[in-house]
């Protein structure tokens, strides 16, 4: 008997419960249709509601509970809305988002993957017709860097206050994230070759390759970790002669993401710089409403990975049934694909869900529909 794959469902705040509900409905259709060995449990934390009742965002043993699952499906954390309620229970971001960082660190989810691909039906923000060919994967180092929470505030609240925020970069984390980027570039090229849709990237010597890795730093100003990233990148690149390489400073990368995003394949960046770049990439691929995100631990199968859409809690529309669940559903499809490493039967379900969401997006481009209506349409496609 196949051991069931277990998912911890954490809807969170704002529109999180609304979009997660549609993902669970789709999972139910797929499980029933294909007899999948899938189980899930909904947790009311982390959330503002839990904090309001208990004085903390989640129980003291929350991480221990979540570690018993194969994956975590997270809706959103932050302002619960509605914004027209000035008396709503509202936490500072440093508190409401802390569980997100705790999960990433404690489960060593050292890869944050955010694909940016302009699918038919998604809004095209760039006028250039070549923008239709946007298809990049931004890989963000997710375990250290600028988000290690090392530092403090001295003489807080006085004119002489000093705030320090330390960045920490290790050779180990640098090596594994850059190597992961090269491996993903190679896999993407192999997949494109199977589909007959190869791409071409120029190298420094003028020749071309079918894949590319671009490393992002700010080594002209942040020289120590920037130089280490560059040196590790050059060393690892020698092991992948089939992959073109490129380096950009983060400010130039932001400019080129807008000028020529179709020129990028796989992008590797630090925690903060990757955070900023992926929001820009999400807009270029149609907006936050269609952008999935994954927090992965590729090296330890006993640790759960976490899947969340790129968008936030959208307090301006929370509770109104207006939230588009597309990003959440694409995220759920990526979760199933990731979990197929344990249970290969989930791979076809992942593809089926992705295709259903993509077809719905293409067919209803520009149409205003409610959360439930979109979920109904996709569940119907899955059930046919």
């Amino acid at each position: 008997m196949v051991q069931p794959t277990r998912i911890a469902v954490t809807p969170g705040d704002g529109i999180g419960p609304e979009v997660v509900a549609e993902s669970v409905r789709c999972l139910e259709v797929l499980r029933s249709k294909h007899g999948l060995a899938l189980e899930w449990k909904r947790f009311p934390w982390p959330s503002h509601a839990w904090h309001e009742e208990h004085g903390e965002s989640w129980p003291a043993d929350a991480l221990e509970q979540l570690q018993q699952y194969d994956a975590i499906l997270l809706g959103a954390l932050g302002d619960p809305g509605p914004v027209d309620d000035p008396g709503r229970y509202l936490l500072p971001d440093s508190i409401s988002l802390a569980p997100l960082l705790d999960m990433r660190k404690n489960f060593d989810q050292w890869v944050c993957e955010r694909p940016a691909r302009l699918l038919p039906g998604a809004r095209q923000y760039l006028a250039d017709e070549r923008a239709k060919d946007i298809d990049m994967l931004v890989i963000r180092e997710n375990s250290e860097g600028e988000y290690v929470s090392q530092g403090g505030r001295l003489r807080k609240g006085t004119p002489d206050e000093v705030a320090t925020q330390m960045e920490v970069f290790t050779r180990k984390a640098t090596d594994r994230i850059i190597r992961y980027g090269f491996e993903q570039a190679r896999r993407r090229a192999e997949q494109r070759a199977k589909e007959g849709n190869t791409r071409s990237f120029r190298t420094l010597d003028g020749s071309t390759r079918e894949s590319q890795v671009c490393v992002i730093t700010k080594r002209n100003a942040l020289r120590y970790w920037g130089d280490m990233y560059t040196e590790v990148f050059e060393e690892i690149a020698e092991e992948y002669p089939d992959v073109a390489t490129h380096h950009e400073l983060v400010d130039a990368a932001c400019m080129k993401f807008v000028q020529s995003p179709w020129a990028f394949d796989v992008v590797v960046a630090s925690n903060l710089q990757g955070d900023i770049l992926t929001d820009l990439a999400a807009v270029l691929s149609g907006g936050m409403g269609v952008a999935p995100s994954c927090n992965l631990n590729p090296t330890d199968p006993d640790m759960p990975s976490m899947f969340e859409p790129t968008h936030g809690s959208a307090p301006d529309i929370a509770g109104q049934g207006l939230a588009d669940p597309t990003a959440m559903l694409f995220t759920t499809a990526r979760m199933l694909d990731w979990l197929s490493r344990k249970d290969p039967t989930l791979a076809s379900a992942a593809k089926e869900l992705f295709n259903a969401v993509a077809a719905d997006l293409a067919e209803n481009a520009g149409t205003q529909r409610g959360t439930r209506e979109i979920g109904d349409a996709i569940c119907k496609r899955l059930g046919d």
Side-chain angles (χ1 to χ4, degrees):
M1 183 177 178
V2 177
Q3 189 73 17
T5 297
R6 305 178 70 222
I7 302 166
V9 178
T10 55
D13 296 318
I15 63 169
E18 300 171 59
V19 296
V20 164
E22 301 311 313
S23 281
V24 171
R25 290 176 64 203
C26 290
L27 288 174
E28 288 172 342
V29 172
L30 289 166
R31 179 172 66 177
S32 176
K33 181 179 178 180
H34 300 293
L36 301 176
L38 272 180
E39 296 178 355
W40 52 83
K41 179 180 178 180
R42 182 187 182 280
F43 291 88
W45 44 258
S47 67
H48 272 69
W50 184 272
H51 195 285
E52 184 174 16
E53 182 177 353
H54 300 278
E56 56 187 0
S57 293
W58 56 4
D61 65 344
L63 290 169
E64 288 79 4
Q65 290 190 55
L66 293 175
Q67 191 172 341
Q68 306 308 310
Y69 291 81
D70 298 294
I72 302 163
L73 189 64
L74 173 68
L77 295 178
D79 189 338
V83 292
D84 59 1
D85 177 12
R88 69 191 183 280
Y89 189 77
L90 187 58
L91 297 168
D93 287 346
S94 58
I95 294 176
S96 64
L97 298 181
L100 180 64
L101 299 179
D102 287 343
M103 284 187 277
R104 289 174 177 171
K105 292 174 183 176
N106 283 275
F107 299 140
D108 199 17
Q109 295 164 350
W110 53 273
V111 174
C112 180
E113 273 193 1
R114 293 187 176 177
R117 179 183 173 193
L118 190 61
L119 295 169
R123 183 173 179 180
Q124 184 176 327
Y125 285 90
L126 298 181
D128 196 311
E129 281 300 299
R130 289 173 292 180
K132 288 186 172 64
D133 295 327
I134 295 171
D135 183 5
M136 72 172 86
L137 178 66
V138 184
I139 297 173
R140 166 184 165 195
E141 204 295 314
N142 216 27
S143 68
E144 55 174 33
E146 303 91 343
Y147 287 1
V148 294
S149 296
Q150 299 295 305
R153 295 172 66 182
L154 178 65
R155 306 186 191 96
K156 184 177 179 181
T158 73
D160 296 319
E161 180 173 354
V162 177
T164 59
Q165 195 79 42
M166 184 181 296
E167 301 178 356
V168 176
F169 293 83
T170 65
R171 182 89 179 194
K172 174 184 175 181
T174 302
D175 184 279
R176 69 182 182 180
I177 198 68
I178 290 175
R179 188 174 300 278
Y180 185 85
F182 276 95
E183 287 294 322
Q184 291 303 100
R186 187 174 275 177
R187 290 191 186 99
R188 281 164 60 85
E190 291 171 354
Q191 184 61 37
R192 288 193 293 261
K194 290 179 182 177
E195 297 170 353
N197 185 31
T198 59
R199 298 175 67 188
S200 180
F201 300 92
R202 189 170 297 277
T203 65
L204 292 176
D205 64 7
S207 59
T208 60
R209 302 289 186 273
E210 292 185 359
S211 61
Q212 177 208 72
V213 176
C214 176
V215 69
I216 307 293
T217 71
K218 186 61 178 170
R219 65 185 180 190
N220 58 338
L222 304 174
R223 59 177 293 189
Y224 301 116
W225 78 259
D227 284 348
M228 182 172 70
Y229 256 55
T230 302
E231 291 164 11
V232 172
F233 181 68
E234 291 173 350
E235 290 173 10
I236 293 177
E238 293 180 1
E239 302 175 34
Y240 297 83
D242 53 310
V243 180
T245 59
H246 189 51
H247 177 270
E248 288 287 357
L249 300 178
V250 65
D251 44 353
C254 288
M255 176 184 69
K256 292 180 181 180
F257 266 33
V258 176
Q259 285 183 328
S260 55
W262 50 85
F264 292 91
D265 186 15
V266 171
V267 177
V268 177
S270 71
N271 214 329
L272 173 61
Q273 294 180 8
D275 195 0
I276 296 167
L277 287 167
T278 50
D279 278 9
L280 176 54
V283 172
L284 297 177
S285 59
M288 295 293 190
V290 298
S293 178
C294 313
N295 301 273
L296 309 175
N297 184 332
T299 46
D300 188 347
D302 294 328
M303 291 294 180
S305 292
M306 177 176 58
F307 300 81
E308 54 169 337
T310 302
H311 64 67
S313 59
D316 56 323
I317 59 171
Q320 301 177 42
L322 300 176
D324 187 341
T326 299
M328 187 78 246
L329 294 169
F330 276 140
T331 297
T332 304
R334 291 186 71 84
M335 178 186 70
L336 291 174
D337 184 66
W338 177 259
L339 292 172
S340 69
R341 293 161 37 128
K342 172 186 175 184
D343 180 0
T345 65
L346 297 178
S348 58
K351 186 175 182 179
E352 188 175 346
L353 179 56
F354 176 88
N355 289 340
V357 180
D360 180 79
L361 179 64
E363 185 176 301
N364 296 280
T367 303
Q368 294 296 317
R369 296 178 295 160
T371 312
R372 187 77 177 187
E373 185 180 358
I374 296 173
D376 287 341
I378 294 171
C379 283
K380 185 177 184 302
R381 286 181 185 274
L382 293 173
D384 288 344

